[in-house]
């Protein structure tokens, strides 16, 4: 399902159309409407079509990513997820009118139902890995090129030589951290039903979301703990979750949403 209007602009504010609906997520028909108030304090209701429910509320006049609204969005998703499978929408997904949203549910019913089956009984965990800056003593001992550069710098120290050595060590540390990140990913991927890799950079060299059966969450966390100990000199691992399965919602355009 694709919402016709989404992200806030550069000012961080979205001004919805008067009839616009704020969309929280999609569940199978039969879910109970959440008791928690939604974004902007609005009550949350369910629109049902083709065996699916869309949890919605009236879109506030001005939509900003304020903390209270982010927390309200998450509280609604948590209550829906406690009832069964959920396809969560990220913050600030809007639909212009109820009839448009119902048409989208109709058009994408098979696609959405298949995804709900895939996330049934699942949670999402996100694993990030950051470079450990102090990992260089062992690296210099093992890397002949770095070792020779360090010796030359020690014999003839000057500013440029120190800069070259520092840059070479930083590259080596990042290289080792990326290698450790690949090893972690290779080890964890078979433990998950699905894996999606996120954006990385020179400091955060691992970012991946894992779709796990709830029963496998403990085993997965134990594996992360072992990997964190074994590679902690090169890579600092952290786990976030369980989360709604944001990374595994496969949105696609539907003609009714155009």
């Amino acid at each position: 399902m694709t919402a016709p209007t989404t992200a806030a602009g550069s000012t961080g504010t979205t001004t919805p159309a008067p009839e616009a609906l704020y969309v929280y997520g999609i569940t199978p028909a039969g879910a109970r409407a959440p008791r928690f108030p939604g974004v902007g304090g609005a009550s949350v209701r369910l629109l049902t079509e083709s065996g699916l429910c869309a949890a919605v509320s009236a879109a506030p006049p001005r939509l900003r990513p304020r903390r209270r609204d982010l927390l309200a969005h998450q509280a609604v998703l948590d209550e829906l997820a406690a009832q069964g499978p959920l396809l969560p929408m990220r913050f600030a997904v809007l639909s212009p009118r109820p009839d448009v949203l119902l048409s989208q549910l109709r058009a994408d019913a098979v696609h959405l139902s298949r995804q709900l089956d895939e996330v049934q009984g699942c949670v999402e965990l996100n694993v990030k890995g950051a470079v450990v800056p102090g990992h260089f003593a062992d690296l210099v001992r093992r890397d002949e090129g770095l070792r020779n550069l360090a010796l030359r710098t020690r014999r003839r120290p000057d500013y440029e030589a120190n800069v070259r050595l520092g840059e070479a060590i930083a590259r080596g540390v990042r290289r080792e951290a990326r290698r450790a990140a690949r090893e972690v990913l290779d080890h964890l991927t078979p433990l998950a039903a699905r894996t999606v890799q996120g954006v990385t950079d020179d400091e955060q060299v691992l970012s991946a979301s894992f779709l796990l059966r709830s029963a496998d969450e403990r085993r997965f966390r134990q594996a992360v703990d072992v990997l964190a100990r074994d590679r902690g000199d090169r890579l600092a691992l952290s786990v976030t979750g369980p989360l709604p399965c944001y990374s595994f919602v496969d949105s696609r355009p539907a003609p009714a949403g155009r």
Side-chain angles (χ1 to χ4, degrees):
M1 192 200 100
T2 299
T5 310
T6 53
S10 59
T11 61
T13 301
T14 295
T15 303
E19 292 183 79
L21 297 175
Y22 186 100
V23 186
Y24 298 87
I26 309 297
T27 71
R32 299 183 306 277
R35 296 167 298 169
F36 288 104
V39 171
S43 60
V44 180
R45 67 186 192 275
L46 301 176
L47 296 180
T48 302
E49 174 61 51
S50 303
L52 300 168
C53 284
V56 302
S57 65
R62 295 178 71 81
L63 183 56
R64 302 182 184 91
R66 295 175 294 192
R67 184 174 185 272
R68 67 185 181 191
D69 285 334
L70 293 169
L71 292 175
H73 179 93
Q74 187 61 46
V76 169
L77 292 180
D78 288 344
E79 190 171 351
L80 291 169
Q83 299 183 48
L86 168 69
L87 301 180
M89 300 295 153
R90 297 189 183 276
F91 184 82
V93 170
L94 305 175
S95 183
R97 300 187 313 275
D99 62 308
V100 170
L101 184 54
L102 290 170
S103 294
Q104 288 183 307
L105 291 179
R106 232 177 358 257
D108 281 347
V110 173
H111 179 66
L112 294 169
S113 296
R114 184 181 301 117
Q115 289 187 80
L116 285 166
D117 289 341
E118 290 174 355
V119 301
Q120 172 80 44
C122 291
V123 296
E124 176 177 332
L125 291 182
N126 180 263
V127 178
K128 287 184 169 55
V131 175
V132 176
H135 170 65
F136 58 83
D138 184 59
L139 176 63
V140 171
R141 282 194 298 269
R142 289 186 291 105
D143 189 309
E144 184 178 357
L146 278 178
R147 191 166 60 251
N148 291 337
L149 181 58
L151 288 172
R152 288 198 301 272
T153 303
R154 189 178 306 154
R155 288 169 185 158
R156 300 185 62 183
D158 60 44
Y159 175 77
E160 290 186 0
N162 285 328
V163 169
R164 285 196 299 273
L165 177 60
E167 291 175 344
I169 289 175
R171 287 194 298 271
V173 168
R174 288 195 294 269
R175 183 175 62 249
E176 291 290 307
R178 290 192 188 99
R179 181 179 297 127
R182 290 193 295 271
E183 294 167 356
V184 168
L185 192 60
D186 288 346
H187 190 91
L188 294 179
T189 296
L191 304 180
R194 289 173 61 193
T195 303
V196 172
Q197 294 189 51
V199 177
T200 60
D201 55 34
D202 283 347
E203 300 304 320
Q204 184 175 284
V205 294
L206 173 63
S207 177
S209 294
F210 298 88
L211 183 67
L212 297 166
R213 301 296 171 191
S214 297
D216 295 333
E217 182 182 347
R218 182 178 178 184
R219 181 168 67 112
F220 184 90
R221 289 183 180 275
Q222 290 172 340
V224 173
D225 289 343
V226 171
L227 291 165
R229 288 194 299 270
D230 290 348
R231 291 160 178 81
D233 60 336
R234 294 173 285 162
L235 190 67
L237 292 177
S238 62
V239 181
T240 304
L243 303 166
C245 302
Y246 287 112
S247 302
F248 303 95
V249 176
D250 177 20
S251 298
R252 65 173 188 176
R258 294 187 185 278

